[in-house]
Every structure is written in C-alpha cells, then in structure tokens.
Amino acid sequence: MFVVLCLFLGGAAGTNKLDSEESGVRESGRAGKIASSGDFTKRPEENVLITADSGGKLDQRAARRAAKDITGRMKALPEVRSVGAPVPAPNGKALLVPVTMNGDEDDAINRVRPLLDVSAEAERTHDGLKIEQVGTGSTAKGMSDTIGKDFRRAELISVPLTLLILLVVFGAIIAAGVPVLLALSCVVTAMGLSSLASHVLPETSAVSNVILLMGMAVGVDYSLFYLKREREERRKGKSHLDAIEIAAETSGHTVVVSGTTVIVAMAGLYLAQEATFASLATGSIIVVAVAVLGSVTVLPALLAKLGRWVDRPRVPFLWRLTMRSGESRVWPVLLRPALLKPALTLVVSIGALLLLALPALDMRLKQPGQDDLSRDIPVVQATDRLTDAFPSEGTVHKVAVRAPADEAGQVKAALRGLIDRTEGNSLFAHDQTPVIRESGDHRVHTVEVGTPYPPKNPKATESLKVLRGWVPQALDEVPDAESGVGGAVAQGIDFTDHLEERMPWVVGFVLLLTFGTMAVIFRSLAVALSAVLLNLLSAAASFGVLVAVFQHTWAEGLLDFDSSGTVVSWLPLFLFVVLFGLSMDYHVFVVSRIREMAVAGASVRDSVREGIVRSAGVVTSAAIVMVAVFSIFGTLNAVEFKQLGVGLAAAIMLDAVVIRIFVLPALMTALGRWNWWPGGTSGTGRETSAVSAPAEGGTGAPTGLPAPYAQSPAPRTDRAPSPGHRRR
C-alpha cells in the first residue's frame, strides 16, 4: 500500500525539473537568473542542414531547390510557427533552413517527428544531398533514442544479472528473488517520493539513474545481511521465527546503523550549495531511507510468512554448494598473512593502494558537454557538421544585462559596441551577426556571441575571459546595470571553481559525522578513526583508477569513449560521498561481527578471524552484485555515467578485496586490545554483542547470538506456533 501510495502521489504531483539557467553558480549563474527574469518567450528552434552527400563542394542550385521544397512542406505543418530564409555557409559547403516551432521547448521532443519526416523525405527526393536536422526537439529526441536506449538496456540487464548472482549465492529461487523484490520496490517508491520532494528542491534529470544505482545496491545489501544471518541461525538449529528475531537483533540493527551512516554521508552534499548536488542528495537519501524501512518491516514479515518456503524451489547443484557444512577453506588462507604478520601486510597493502592513488594527483576536472559524446551517434555527427559550417550555432557565450527600463537605449548601444569589438577577433565566430533580444518590460537584454572552438578547446576558455573583461567596460557608463556572461563554457568553469571551493566543507562534514557515528555505535575512538582512514584510502585508490582510465587514451577502445583528458567535474565529490556511505555498510557489518566475538571472550586474532570469515560470504556476495550493476553503467554512451559506473565498481572491488581481506584484519590484529579503546568490550545493553556459548556441533566456538537467546535456550511459549516454527 505504501509503494502504491507513493507512486500515485508522485505521479499526481508530477516532477519539478531543475532549470539549468537558474541553477548555475557564480557569474554564469547570475547571467542565467538575469536572463530568466526577462521572461523571454522560448520557442523551440530547428535547423535543417543541407550539405553535399560526398562531403565536398555543394551544388548551390540543387541545394536551393531542396530548401524551397523543405520550406513549403514545413510551412504546411501545424507544429511549425515560421520558416526563415535559407542561410548559406561562409565556406560554401552548406545551406541552413531555420525553422521555429509552436509550443514550448520542453514539449518539442514529442512534436518534432513530423518535421524529421519532412527532412527525411526531402533527402530521399533530392539525390546527391545530405539533409539533416539539428535543434531543440530533434537533438533531444536523437539523444533520447541513443542514451535513453542505453539506460533501458542497463535497467533490463541489471535485474536479471542481480537475480542470477543471488541464485548462485542462495541456491533457491525464492531466496534469490526476495532481495531483488525489495530493491525494486525501494526504487519505485523512492521515485514517487522524489517527485514530491522536487517541488521543494527541483530535480535534475540524473536523479532517477542515481536512485536506480543506490536502490539496487543498498536494497540487495540489506536483504543479504538479513537473509544470510537468518539462514545461519536456522542451520544452527534455531526455529524459523527465532532465527528471524536473531537476524533482526543483529543484522537488522546493522542495517539501521549502516543506513543512517549512508544518509549522514549523503547529507554532506547539501553543503556544496549547488542545486544539482542538493537534488542528487535528496534522491539518494530517500531511496536509502526506504530501503532501511523495508528491511526492518517488510523483509522480516515476508520471511515469517514464507516460512521454510524461502528455500524453495531449490537448484540442485547450487543448493548443495551453498549449504555445505564446515568452515570455508578459502577465507582462513586469505586471512593468514594479515593475522600472522599484520605489520608487514599493512605496509604492503597500504603501499599498493597508495600506488593506485598516485594518478589522482594529476586529476583535471571539466563539465561534460556534447564534445564528450560518442561521435558514432547520428545526431552528434549532424551537430558537428552544423557547427563546422556555422560556428555561431555551436559554442556560444550568453551575455545578459539587467538595468532600469529608461536605460534600455544605452544598454543596446553598449551591446552593439561589444558586438563590433568582437569583429575581426579570431576568438569569436563571424558567420552570423549576433542578435540583441529585449524583454517586454525593456529591463533585460541578452545577446549570444559565438566562438568557433569546442568547449574543451583552451581557445574557448580564452574567448570567455576576454568577453568577461569587455562586458563591464562596455556597460561602464550605464548606471545600475547588472550583467553576467554565461553559456556552456562559463558554466563548466564556474561549476568546477565552485566545487573546489566547497569540497573541503563537504569532505570535512562527511569525515567528522562518520567519525562521530562510528564512535557512538562501537564506543571506540580507534574503530571510528580506522573506519575514516580506511575509507579515505579506498576512495583515493578509486580516484587513481578513474584518472588512469579516463584521462588517458589506453582504455578508449575497451570502454568505447573518446578521452577528453579530464574527469567530469561533479563526479569526485559525489563519488567520495557515495563511496563513504556504501563502504560503511561493509565496515559496520564486518566490525559488528568481530565485536560479537570479542564480547564473547575470544582473543583479538580469533575475533578478527571469526568475524571476517562469518561475514565474508555476505560481503563478497553484496560486492559482486554491486560491481556487476555498476559495471553495466560503465557501458553507457554518456561519459559521466560511464565514469560513475567504472569509479564505483573499482572502489567497491578494492574495498571488498584489499581493505576487507588485508588492511582491516591486519590493522585490527596489530592494534590488539586498543581496538575497543576507550569503551572496551564489557558493555551491556542492546548492542550487537554476544555471550560465550557452544556452537552447534559442540566446537565450543562463540555462537555470536544476542544475550537473550544465548541465555534462554528453552522454547518460547507466549506465541502460537506458525508454519515453519519447530518446537523443541
């Protein structure tokens, strides 16, 4: 009912999308707000580009005939408001037919199909000519058809792949399906709640993808924690309901703690004071909170209702594999170096991670743009040909000025002087004369000045700096004038500079809150400090991998991308926060099991060994699921999601393998009794502690059960037996 309610309310409320013009920072953000205050009518515009099919010299007569044909057909469409006169390219290789559509820009993608059909029919009719369309609706549709298809493929692959991995983990179809069911319900619910939240904090388009990533990751993780512990207790002879309650007392407690830690880490993004990060933080916090809520309510209820049917139907070979009795032979061998020679293992493993982190020192940041997209996408190829023939249609700097209405004449004169100043300067495009736009109240004026260089070219940055120096000079004699220069290049530079300024605040907040949370949970400053340091080490190593892969060209063929020599500017901060949150899932779970052993009276080395061995199956399974899901996103065309997927997959792999097998056990073994300073292991109360009790089979090893169960082996009689509840 909760899921359906969230979906209904979210659908009824709709989504309040983030306006890119109003969400900027620094001068480009100011320019966007000035332009938006002018309340200009935004008509979707299309450009029909006519070039020679061979790519060489254009037959002007044939091109003019085609342009006339296109103009007549376009004017007959109800979606078209007006068609401009054909514009020849300065190099003589192209002819441009400008088209203005009816309606608003947001809906152009849904109404552009008839225009695209006209262009396609014209190309079939006029031999020897290539006729393409680039504009508000056609570009959005072309990108949606390609990148949208990528995301749909990723979503379709991620669920069956996760189900397959869980089938190997549990050996039973229902047990494998429960985590996927919980994760998907969390994702769907969070998307509905995110739509509601967008009316307070506008939502960026990437939120749904982040919700999918985070929801699948934490939803499956939390279910694994619960299911594995419940199955472990049943194997020890506990009844079904007793096993569920023990899982609630231990793994359920860990889920709440882990989820709280993830939420705290994600809340750090609000300190970035930027609308995109606020939107991403909101979506992530919602989906994690829903996952925690589902894990401590729906999951135990579902397990109680299913009874022993949770282990049906069984996959014969996989079931025998997952239910093998006896201790794992692999994990004790892997842990031997850390337990026997902790200092040496610590030095070698930390040295290896620092070596991986070295490339991160050369990290260069840049906002993603169209020049970062694969050149195999048809609409990207058409855009390249358009900007090659008409540079003014490519990279533009948007100058916005706001002044009292009675000074409108002075503002227009100043902007005309600015346009005249760009003439003859090679940093600016000269194929078309910039047009000055004036708002209805005569208070706001805008003009777009083109540059012939793509955004990633240093010349584009230089042209921005020159223009930003000229604008105040041009408006020097206009009193009370407020101005700014925006555009793709300006937004990228300002965004990167803003992040570099805010990053210490976000990182400091996450480190401080993580330290405080861990100190309160485990009553140990040593555990809290080691958690922060190990996660910093893991994040640094993953950043090194990210830089090595994407700033250089050696992986271009492998991952199908064109290197821009940079990392997407918003990614390091977002990746840092997500990694801290997700890594704490594992850390809390593993250290909780180690502490159970320590409270039960085991030695430091035995506690570390037993805690990691008993949690290894869950951590490894969860890590495999995460790496698989994140790796799918590494196959997308959009470079930001490709980098996000690869960065997360690398970080989780490093965390699950190097940190959990070598660094953490070596560090805790080396610290000895100082691990639990100053609280010690003699605490009482409702914590994930245990008392010493013989394990099933009489081995004498600690069971790790909470005190109420370890002290009271007699069956409970205050409830009616249910299916699967075996009385002893």
Side-chain angles (χ1 to χ4, degrees), residues 28 118 150 167 229 240 267 306 343 346 381 399 450 485 547 727:
S28 59
V118 166
D150 277 356
L167 196 59
R229 188 59 183 258
H240 187 70
L306 286 171
L346 206 57
Q381 295 174 354
V399 181
V485 181
V547 170
R727 289 187 180 275

Side-chain angles (χ1 to χ4, degrees), residues 479-502:
D480 303 321
E482 183 184 4
S483 65
V485 181
V489 177
Q491 288 171 350
I493 292 173
D494 290 347
F495 185 79
T496 302
D497 291 344
H498 178 77
L499 284 190
E500 290 177 354
E501 179 186 293
R502 300 301 305 173

